């Protein structure tokens, strides 16, 4: 499932290429036909992300609310004014592919000449919703949630969510500390609870707990407020890096074979998907277990109970 940094990148991309433009909205698949009709011909005013939720706000007070879930992804294309990632979505489907330098924003390697842009291509596959401007298009497939809702309904969604470390607004850190340390539920469960903290998924959970040397099975109430605050601060930092880099990298340059460039995927994480391999710090084999129907990765030595 895409984690919070990807949704914030989506919000930024929609803001950069669609905000202030009147959009043609359709549902080639047909499942969102009624919602598309409500949005069609309206101007996108702003885009916002909170955790794993994307909100596209239109001029008449209607919001396109999208949660990508496990399989959802947005594909983009257009002319030279339409720059950015060509696809952002579920890692198991497409991950995130940046348009190569010198290519058109459709990723096809054209010169980006506006005169050569003939509009969106024919939809491929089950496109739930298509947004199109004079200069580009965005197609959504496979999302768990795709709904046209009111501003009040969008606010209700936000009230159900925990604080987003990428917003890092006043009170967010304190709210997280209070929610985390008030419960006896294991930290591995709490960090995936979007009512506790919005945006963390399996990768950030594993990596932040390792970076903080915290046993993932410790109950939340066993953490001190200062330790919980460090979890928030580290999460905010690595997720901000993810927004900047377009991928999750939690190791530091000292662990990379080429310290002056971003690492290959096999060097990007400390424990995630490294089960059975030696810990980069202590050499102990990284452990893997099923926890609340998700895979949990940790180092039994670096993250022993005594380390918290």
């Amino acid at each position: 499932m895409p984690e919070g940094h990807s949704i914030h990148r989506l919000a930024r991309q929609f803001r950069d290429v669609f905000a202030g433009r009147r959009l043609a909205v359709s549902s080639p698949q047909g499942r969102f036909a009624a919602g598309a009709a409500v949005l069609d011909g309206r101007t996108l005013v702003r885009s916002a992300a909170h955790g794993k939720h994307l909100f596209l706000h239109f001029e008449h007070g209607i919001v396109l609310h999208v949660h990508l879930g496990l399989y959802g992804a947005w594909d983009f294309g257009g002319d030279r004014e339409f720059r950015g990632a060509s696809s952002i979505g579920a890692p198991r489907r497409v991950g995130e592919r940046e348009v190569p330098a010198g290519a058109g924003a459709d990723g096809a390697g054209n010169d980006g000449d506006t005169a050569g842009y003939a509009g969106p291509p024919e939809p491929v596959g089950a496109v739930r919703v298509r947004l199109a401007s004079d200069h580009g298009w965005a197609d959504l497939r496979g999302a768990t949630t795709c709904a046209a809702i009111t501003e009040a309904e969008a606010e209700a969604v936000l009230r159900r969510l925990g604080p987003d470390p990428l917003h890092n607004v006043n009170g967010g850190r304190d709210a997280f500390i209070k929610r985390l340390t008030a419960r006896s539920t294991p930290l591995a469960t709490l960090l995936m609870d979007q009512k506790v903290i919005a945006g963390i998924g399996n990768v950030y959970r594993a990596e932040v707990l390792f970076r903080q040397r915290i046993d993932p099975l410790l109950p939340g109430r066993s953490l001190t407020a200062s330790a919980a605050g460090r979890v928030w601060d580290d999460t905010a930092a690595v997720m901000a890096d993810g927004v900047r880099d377009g991928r999750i990298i939690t190791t530091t340059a000292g662990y990379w074979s080429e310290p002056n460039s971003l690492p290959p995927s096999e060097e990007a994480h400390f424990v995630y998907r490294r089960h059975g391999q030696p810990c980069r710090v202590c050499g102990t084999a990284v452990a893997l277990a099923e926890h609340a129907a998700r895979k949990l990765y940790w180092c039994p030595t670096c993250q022993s109970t005594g380390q918290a």
Side-chain angles (χ1 to χ4, degrees):
M1 182 181 296
E3 304 200 22
H5 73 291
S6 290
I7 311 307
H8 279 263
R9 286 175 65 82
L10 275 169
R12 182 176 68 186
Q13 179 144 318
F14 275 103
R15 180 177 65 249
D16 290 347
V17 300
F18 279 139
R21 298 184 183 274
R22 193 171 300 278
L23 303 181
V25 183
S26 60
S27 179
Q29 178 196 54
R31 288 181 58 187
F32 187 63
V38 172
L39 300 172
D40 187 37
R42 299 291 185 166
T43 298
L44 181 68
V45 176
R46 66 184 180 94
S47 58
H50 191 96
K52 301 176 184 180
H53 295 256
L54 176 68
F55 301 91
L56 302 181
H57 296 257
F58 286 79
E59 61 179 326
H60 59 326
I62 301 299
V63 181
L64 178 58
H65 172 216
V66 174
H67 188 295
L68 293 176
L70 287 172
Y71 301 104
W74 286 94
D75 292 318
F76 298 87
D79 62 23
R80 69 169 56 187
E81 292 191 23
F82 201 92
R83 306 295 292 183
S86 60
S87 187
I88 303 177
R92 65 180 67 186
R93 273 203 58 217
V94 296
E96 180 171 16
R97 299 188 300 275
E98 297 291 342
V99 177
D106 59 4
N110 61 41
D111 61 6
D113 185 357
T114 303
Y117 176 64
E122 286 297 313
V124 176
V127 177
R128 183 84 56 84
V129 62
R130 167 173 282 184
L131 309 179
S133 69
D134 292 339
H135 296 282
W137 50 270
D139 284 352
L140 174 67
R141 299 176 180 85
T144 296
T145 300
C146 175
I149 62 177
T150 65
E151 294 280 0
E153 289 170 326
E155 286 297 324
V157 173
L158 291 172
R159 286 195 297 270
R160 294 194 294 269
L161 297 172
D164 183 334
L166 284 171
H167 293 310
N168 217 358
V169 296
N170 289 337
R173 186 178 189 269
D174 290 341
F176 167 73
I177 292 171
K178 182 177 180 180
R179 296 177 193 201
L180 192 73
T181 59
R183 297 170 60 182
S184 58
T185 306
L187 290 165
T189 304
L190 291 172
L191 290 182
M192 296 285 277
D193 185 343
Q194 300 302 295
K195 297 186 294 296
V196 174
I197 183 170
I200 286 186
N202 216 18
V203 185
Y204 282 125
R205 169 182 70 173
E207 293 296 301
V208 169
L209 287 174
F210 176 83
R211 285 163 57 104
Q212 294 300 310
R213 304 298 192 266
I214 295 174
D215 183 341
L217 299 181
L218 281 176
R221 65 177 50 173
S222 70
L223 282 192
T224 64
S226 60
R230 289 193 294 273
V231 170
W232 172 270
D233 295 340
D234 199 33
T235 300
V238 293
M239 290 185 75
D241 289 346
V243 174
R244 181 195 64 206
D245 299 331
R247 50 187 292 222
I248 300 177
I249 300 171
T250 55
T251 53
T252 54
Y255 294 95
W256 306 346
S257 53
E258 295 292 337
N260 295 321
S261 60
L262 294 180
S265 58
E266 61 269 19
E267 296 178 355
H269 305 137
F270 283 106
V271 293
Y272 181 72
R273 287 190 173 177
R274 297 194 65 248
H275 51 288
Q277 299 180 50
C279 171
R280 299 188 192 278
V281 174
C282 74
T284 301
V286 173
L288 167 65
E290 290 289 326
H291 180 82
R294 300 296 298 273
K295 289 182 169 60
L296 174 64
Y297 303 86
W298 79 102
C299 172
T301 298
C302 292
Q303 295 172 261
S304 64
T305 301
Q307 295 292 324

